[in-house]
């Protein structure tokens, strides 16, 4: 049960001048980690985020201190659990929530095109997680659970009353009681919120609801205003879990929509929050936000942020002491790092050797089919079969990607590949969706080894050749690097990891932004090989994958 206790935490309030033991740095999950939800089990914290059609789906991350997060598994890790084939990148899984109750972990989520809202369970948050149980009666998106004693409830965004919209974006928040033994609804559905805080003002997209209990009140928190620049978080409360819920007169409790978009290093579009008790006994909120450049352009997608919550007159206010969401918050508890944690926050560089498996930071499109990739243990290399499927389609191309987590970043790889036909290509890609990407690859043209640079074309659903250079005929091994500087991407190739030649400089990065490409995802760097619609027996061999990020706000 999500309960926030009202008591004085002596150690955290004694002498306000005491120096904090730790600094929370935002974003706590940089890059494409949207729609966060969190729960606490003992002294452990677990968080989940949306993945849409990327596979494995729904990362499960663990922390002891709300700062250092390690992915311990994925809730959707078996192709038998879920099928995203044929779906556009921004479909698939929307907005998971995670709960812990009586030794069992529950994740609720929406498979937007197949089955709708569902529940999966596990006794170990690292997995394995059960097959989904679909809650057909709970029609809508963004489900979450609330537990009180032996009772459980599912809360979700749904259609307007009688499916009659009074305006575009008119939605409701609804509730069903849930039988935990059968995971079936029982009793009658009830509308808790119609439209939003004030129906007369035509509020839009009331979504991502959570219910908490504190003292004698049930608090219903939800996002409002859509997930872009007008995003916000609002709060209601009631003496009964099934309402009526009265909105806070000073809503919203979190937004940045009123601030100057030209401010330095903005964090915007904040909302879709969840509350949790911190190690100091106080309340904290995790929520999504973005770090835009040049107005509302961003390539890193919607990310996960954290801020303290202050209770004022019985209402929770997120980021109460500041107008702007801060990049750093000082807190009074001890930092607890994971001994074997891969870098995920702050500025870092890493180089992943392909030895015998892929780490949790790598993602496939729509499913994981190990038939087209394998590891050469004696050479520490990853072999990828060239597939007829292309990145422009909605299948499972030979693509393995990693999130772009910084505005200033780079990705690199070493590849051994010899094309036999002009349709055979292998290389490095920066990918936002099926039509918005840049692809640097090795191929042949007129029987000559070439490096090619392509750009996705949304109008033709093809890719356009931007540049081509000829390589020595004997050169099979090549190094690729793509670097980003906010709205510019540069492309490099070389014969070694220290001998780079510029292929193209400062190409348009806004092409990869959410504002241009649309959808709900961020950009991924990835390795990608294809035979472009024709059967091929050829293979590309990748030795390692490197990533580096360096943002001024860290």
């Amino acid at each position: 049960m999500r309960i926030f206790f009202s008591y004085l935490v002596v150690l955290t309030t004694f002498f306000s001048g005491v120096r904090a033991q730790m600094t929370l740095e935002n974003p706590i999950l940089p890059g494409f980690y949207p729609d966060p939800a969190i729960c606490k089990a003992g002294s452990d914290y677990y968080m989940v985020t949306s993945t849409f059609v990327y596979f494995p789906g729904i990362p499960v991350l663990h922390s002891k201190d709300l700062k250092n997060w390690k992915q311990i598994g994925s809730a959707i890790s078996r192709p038998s659990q879920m099928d995203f084939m044929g779906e556009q990148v921004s479909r698939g899984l929307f907005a998971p929530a995670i709960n812990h109750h009586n030794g069992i972990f529950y994740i609720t989520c929406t498979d937007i095109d197949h089955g709708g809202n569902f529940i999966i369970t596990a006794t170990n948050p690292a997995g394995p997680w059960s097959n989904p149980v679909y809650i057909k009666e709970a029609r809508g998106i963004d489900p979450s659970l609330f537990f009180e004693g032996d009772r459980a409830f599912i809360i979700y965004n749904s259609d307007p009353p009688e499916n009659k919209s009074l305006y575009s974006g008119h939605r409701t928040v609804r509730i069903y009681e849930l039988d935990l033994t059968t995971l079936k609804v029982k009793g009658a559905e009830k509308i808790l919120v119609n439209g939003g805080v004030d129906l007369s003002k035509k509020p839009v997209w009331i979504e991502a609801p959570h219910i908490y209990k504190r003292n004698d009140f049930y608090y219903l928190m939800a996002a409002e205003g859509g997930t872009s620049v007008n995003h916000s978080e609002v709060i209601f409360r009631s003496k009964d879990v099934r309402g009526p819920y009265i909105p806070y007169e000073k809503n919203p409790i979190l937004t940045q929509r009123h601030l100057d978009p030209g401010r330095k290093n903005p964090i915007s579009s904040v909302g879709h929050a969840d509350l949790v008790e911190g190690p100091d006994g106080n309340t904290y909120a995790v929520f999504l936000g973005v770090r835009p450049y040049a107005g509302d352009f961003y390539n890193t997608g919607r990310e996960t942020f954290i801020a303290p919550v202050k209770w004022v007159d019985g209402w929770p206010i997120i980021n109460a002491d500041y107008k702007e969401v801060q990049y750093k918050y000082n807190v009074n508890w001890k930092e607890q790092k994971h001994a074997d944690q891969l870098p995920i926050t702050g500025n870092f560089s890493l180089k992943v050797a392909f030895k015998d498996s892929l780490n949790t930071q790598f993602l496939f499109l729509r499913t994981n089919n190990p038939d087209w990739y394998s590891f050469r243990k004696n050479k520490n290399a990853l072999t990828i079969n060239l597939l007829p499927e292309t990145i422009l389609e909605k299948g499972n191309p030979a693509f393995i990607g990693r999130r772009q987590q910084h505005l200033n970043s780079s990705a690199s790889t070493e590849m051994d590949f010899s094309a036999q036909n002009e349709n055979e290509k292998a290389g490095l890609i920066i990918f936002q969706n099926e039509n918005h990407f840049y692809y640097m690859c090795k191929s042949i043209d007129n029987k000559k080894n070439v490096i090619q640079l392509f750009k996705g074309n949304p109008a033709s659903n093809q890719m356009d050749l931007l540049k081509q250079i000829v390589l020595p005929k004997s050169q099979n091994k090549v190094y690729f690097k793509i670097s980003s500087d906010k709205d510019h991407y540069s492309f490099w190739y070389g014969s070694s990891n220290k001998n780079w030649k510029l292929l193209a400089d400062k190409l348009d990065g806004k092409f990869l932004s959410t504002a241009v490409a649309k959808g709900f995802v961020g950009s991924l760097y990835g390795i990608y090989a294809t035979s472009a619609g024709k059967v091929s027996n050829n293979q590309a061999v990748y030795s390692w994958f490197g990533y580096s990020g360096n943002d001024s706000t860290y």
Side-chain angles (χ1 to χ4, degrees):
M1 180 173 63
R2 298 174 179 227
I3 297 179
F4 300 98
F5 299 98
S6 177
Y7 57 83
L8 180 66
V9 183
V10 176
L11 291 178
T12 63
T13 57
F14 184 71
F15 291 139
S16 60
V18 173
R19 186 175 180 180
Q21 292 179 293
M22 191 183 76
T23 300
L24 295 172
E25 295 184 335
N26 272 322
I28 55 171
L29 295 181
F32 162 50
Y33 286 100
D35 310 324
I38 193 169
C39 75
K40 186 178 184 181
S43 60
D44 296 283
Y45 296 93
Y46 300 96
M47 190 154 55
V48 293
T49 68
S50 293
T51 44
F52 300 93
V53 303
Y54 284 106
F55 198 96
I58 312 179
V60 181
L61 299 112
H62 170 248
S63 177
K64 286 279 192 180
D65 60 8
L66 295 178
K67 175 181 180 178
N68 295 285
W69 293 91
K70 176 185 177 182
Q71 185 172 342
I72 57 173
S74 293
I76 303 299
S77 60
R78 306 182 302 277
S80 59
Q81 284 174 291
M82 212 147 283
D83 178 12
F84 306 124
M85 297 295 284
E87 298 180 23
Q88 193 268 344
V89 163
S90 284
R91 303 300 289 178
L93 295 175
F94 283 27
I98 186 168
N99 295 78
H100 180 249
H101 178 70
N102 287 348
I104 298 176
F105 289 88
Y106 296 81
I107 288 178
T108 48
C109 193
T110 310
D111 183 359
I112 193 66
D113 291 324
H114 294 95
N117 291 331
F118 65 88
I119 299 174
I120 53 178
T121 60
T123 54
N124 183 345
W129 288 79
S130 69
N131 288 331
V133 175
Y134 289 93
I135 314 298
K136 299 291 186 181
E137 296 84 357
R139 294 173 53 85
I141 62 171
D142 298 6
S144 67
L145 299 180
F146 173 72
F147 296 91
E148 186 172 34
D150 295 329
R151 302 180 74 190
F153 301 86
I154 184 168
I155 313 100
Y156 49 97
N157 161 293
S158 192
D159 301 321
E162 299 179 352
N163 289 327
K164 295 178 181 178
S165 295
L166 300 179
Y167 51 87
S168 178
H170 180 197
R171 302 288 290 174
T172 59
V173 172
R174 304 187 182 212
I175 190 171
Y176 261 116
E177 189 165 355
L178 193 68
D179 186 322
L180 282 182
T181 303
T182 63
L183 293 183
K184 293 182 178 180
V185 300
K186 63 181 183 179
E189 180 187 52
K190 185 173 183 183
I191 294 176
L192 301 182
V193 177
N194 180 13
V197 169
D198 186 346
L199 188 62
S200 69
K201 294 182 180 180
K202 298 183 178 180
V204 297
W205 308 119
I206 190 78
E207 57 193 355
H210 295 281
I211 289 180
Y212 316 91
K213 190 175 184 184
R214 177 183 168 98
N215 298 331
D216 296 327
F217 283 104
Y218 298 88
Y219 290 85
L220 169 60
M221 190 175 73
E224 192 180 276
T227 194
S228 186
V229 291
N230 291 319
H231 209 193
S232 68
E233 198 72 16
V234 295
I235 194 82
F236 309 76
R237 73 182 184 186
S238 172
K239 287 294 186 77
D240 189 292
V241 69
R242 294 175 64 88
Y245 280 88
I246 307 302
Y248 179 39
E249 63 180 11
K250 295 182 181 180
N251 272 316
I253 60 171
L254 173 69
T255 190
Q256 302 281 270
R257 64 190 176 204
H258 58 296
L259 300 179
D260 178 6
R263 64 194 184 277
K264 185 179 179 181
N265 296 325
I267 297 168
S268 67
S269 303
V270 299
H272 201 114
D274 197 4
L275 303 181
V276 72
E277 184 186 88
D280 59 357
N282 294 324
T283 307
Y284 292 81
V286 296
F287 50 91
L288 72 79
V290 303
R291 292 177 291 157
Y293 58 84
D296 190 37
F297 293 95
Y298 51 92
N299 299 18
T300 44
R302 299 173 303 151
E303 307 174 297
T304 293
F305 293 77
I306 192 168
V309 175
K310 182 176 288 187
W311 289 85
V312 179
D313 298 327
W315 296 94
I317 313 299
I318 302 171
N319 196 50
D321 294 334
Y322 305 92
K323 290 183 178 180
E324 296 183 21
V325 172
Q326 302 294 292
Y327 278 94
K328 299 180 188 296
Y329 294 98
N330 291 330
V331 292
N332 287 288
W333 62 78
K334 186 178 179 180
E335 184 169 358
Q336 298 188 60
K337 295 182 178 180
H338 297 279
D340 55 349
Q341 179 180 2
L342 286 169
I344 196 171
T345 59
N347 292 327
F348 60 85
S349 295
L350 57 81
K351 184 177 179 180
V352 179
F354 292 128
K355 293 183 178 180
D356 53 11
S357 62
L358 294 168
N359 67 47
T360 57
Q361 296 185 358
F362 288 105
L363 295 168
F364 300 92
L365 278 166
R366 300 179 187 87
T367 192
N368 179 4
N369 181 2
D371 289 343
W372 57 256
Y373 67 94
S374 60
F375 294 91
R376 296 184 179 183
K377 294 183 179 181
N378 58 329
K379 294 184 178 181
N380 289 338
L382 173 65
T383 299
I384 293 181
N385 298 341
L386 271 63
L387 299 182
E389 288 82 0
T390 71
I391 209 86
L392 297 119
E393 301 167 293
K394 297 179 179 65
N396 177 231
F399 163 89
I400 302 173
R402 185 197 184 282
R403 297 167 178 86
Q404 178 186 335
Q405 295 186 279
H406 300 77
L407 282 69
N408 296 280
S409 66
S410 68
S412 54
T413 193
E414 175 189 337
M415 183 189 75
D416 195 323
F417 171 64
S418 178
Q420 304 301 313
N421 298 288
E422 293 184 1
N423 60 292
E424 296 181 343
K425 305 178 189 301
L428 186 66
I429 192 170
I430 177 68
F431 177 80
Q432 209 280 349
N433 66 24
E434 292 86 356
N435 297 122
H436 293 81
F437 60 84
Y438 290 103
Y439 180 38
M440 180 170 51
C441 60
K442 187 171 183 282
S443 187
I444 59 171
D445 183 38
N446 291 322
K447 299 182 180 180
K448 295 180 179 178
N449 274 347
V450 293
I451 299 293
Q452 298 172 322
L453 178 61
F454 291 93
K455 180 182 181 181
N457 186 328
S460 66
N461 196 34
Q462 299 296 321
M463 60 183 190
D464 299 332
L465 181 63
L466 300 183
K467 191 167 184 179
Q468 177 172 295
I469 60 100
V470 176
L471 283 177
K473 187 175 182 180
S474 60
Q475 185 176 344
N476 290 334
K477 183 178 291 187
V478 66
Y479 294 75
F480 288 122
K481 180 170 70 173
I482 304 174
S483 62
S484 75
D485 182 2
K486 297 180 180 177
D487 60 340
H488 292 133
Y489 285 75
S490 299
F491 299 80
W492 312 74
Y493 70 99
S495 56
S496 76
N497 197 25
K498 297 181 179 178
N499 180 26
W500 295 106
K501 296 179 180 179
L502 184 65
L503 179 65
D505 194 25
K506 296 182 179 179
L507 297 190
D508 175 26
K510 292 179 181 177
F511 177 69
L512 302 173
S513 70
T514 300
V516 174
K518 309 303 180 185
F520 304 122
V521 301
S523 296
L524 275 70
Y525 290 110
I527 55 178
Y528 166 51
T530 183
S531 55
K534 299 180 181 179
V535 175
S536 171
N537 293 321
N538 207 351
Q539 297 177 321
V541 179
Y542 294 84
S543 296
W544 50 265
F545 184 92
Y547 177 84
S548 180
N550 185 23
D551 286 343
S552 61
T553 52
Y554 284 119

